[in-house]
Amino acid sequence: MADIPDSHPRKASLMSRLRMVEASKRGLLAESAMIAHGRGEAFDYLLGERTSDSASLAIREAAARLLVAESPVISMNGNSTVLAGSEAIMIASILGCPVEVNIYYRTSERMESLIGELESLRDRLGRESPEMARESIMDVEILGAVADGRILGLEGPRSLCSSRGIEQADIVLVPLEDGDRCEALISLGKQVIAIDLNPLSRTSKKATVTIVDDVTRAMGRLAEELLENPTTTDWNNEAVLRDALDIMSSSSLRIG
Ligand code: ATP
């Protein structure tokens, strides 16, 4: 990775770009991955590249709901694996739940690469963690290789999932989900926790709890929040979407 000085104001953003470029060369990403990432970057720029207060509330609500869920699962695609793979493993180890690779453009090569990537992140995290946490990290199961489940309401390869993961889950944490799938999961009676920098996306509007924040920041914060044992509230998701839009529209007034 390039040597970017800590003082560089866009360091985190540039590091994410480099991770994406490197992962793309290794075949982990779909062809459109950079376009999706660029759209996210633009929204993040308007948000001031920080976790807003309302996003922090959404992270707490997400943690509370995941902690009381019977059967949570974390659904990962290419971008989220590259940008928050280790954070997903941490969250799964705290919750004792599986991580499932579930991608829009499904090819066996990319499924294998992403599962392999998450397994090696898990093994590295396990090796580097204190004894106390090691076992629960190493126990995190990476699902997706066996597509013996279905997401009813979706057609073709996009409907495939694991029967022990998304199919039987009561709550799905989906960083960077697409709108159709979010809608289908909600129609099946599941709760969806989405992380999406675009408060206007169909995913953001349909999800049960939307965290309008960068996926790397949000997943790291979520892992910390789970340790605080928060409790659920009467959640108003529309309010956090409105707040994100307010921040973005007032950011133009802050310039100059
Ligand atoms: P939808 O179907 O929900 O309307 P979309 O089709 O507009 O979404 P996709 O291309 O499926 O969008 O997914 C990209 C989404 O992920 C965009 O909304 C983008 O803002 C968001 N995104 C991209 N990078 C990040 C990131 N690093 N953190 C959080 N969100 C991101």
Side-chain angles (χ1 to χ4, degrees), residues 36 39-40 83 176 178-179 196-198 201-203 213-215:
R39 181 188 285 169
L83 296 172
L176 321 186
D178 80 278
D196 192 333
L197 278 160
N198 178 4
S201 75
R202 286 175 306 146
T203 301
D213 195 13
D214 168 66
V215 69

Side-chain angles (χ1 to χ4, degrees), residues 9 12 15 49 53 85 99 105 123 126 141 152 165 197 209 211:
M15 293 301 289
E49 293 175 334
D53 291 346
V99 172
Y105 301 108
D123 297 349
E141 201 178 356
L152 298 177
L197 278 160
V209 177
I211 302 167

Side-chain angles (χ1 to χ4, degrees), residues 177-189:
E177 181 59 325
D178 80 278
D180 289 346
R181 222 166 24 183
C182 178
E183 204 166 345
L185 294 172
I186 293 279
S187 318
L188 290 169

Side-chain angles (χ1 to χ4, degrees), residues 2 9 14 20 98 105 109 122 148 152 174 185 187 240 250 255:
L14 291 174
M20 293 290 289
Y105 301 108
E109 292 79 20
R122 175 194 60 199
D148 55 353
L152 298 177
V174 275
L185 294 172
S187 318
V240 294
S250 60
I255 294 168

Side-chain angles (χ1 to χ4, degrees), residues 39 43 46-47 177 179 195-207 210-213 237-238 240-246 248-249:
R39 181 188 285 169
F43 284 114
L46 291 171
L47 281 170
E177 181 59 325
I195 302 173
D196 192 333
L197 278 160
N198 178 4
L200 296 171
S201 75
R202 286 175 306 146
T203 301
S204 287
K205 289 180 184 163
K206 293 279 172 190
T210 305
I211 302 167
V212 184
D213 195 13
N237 205 48
E238 214 182 296
V240 294
L241 302 183
R242 278 185 198 289
D243 187 69
L245 282 173
D246 285 348
M248 288 181 195
S249 52

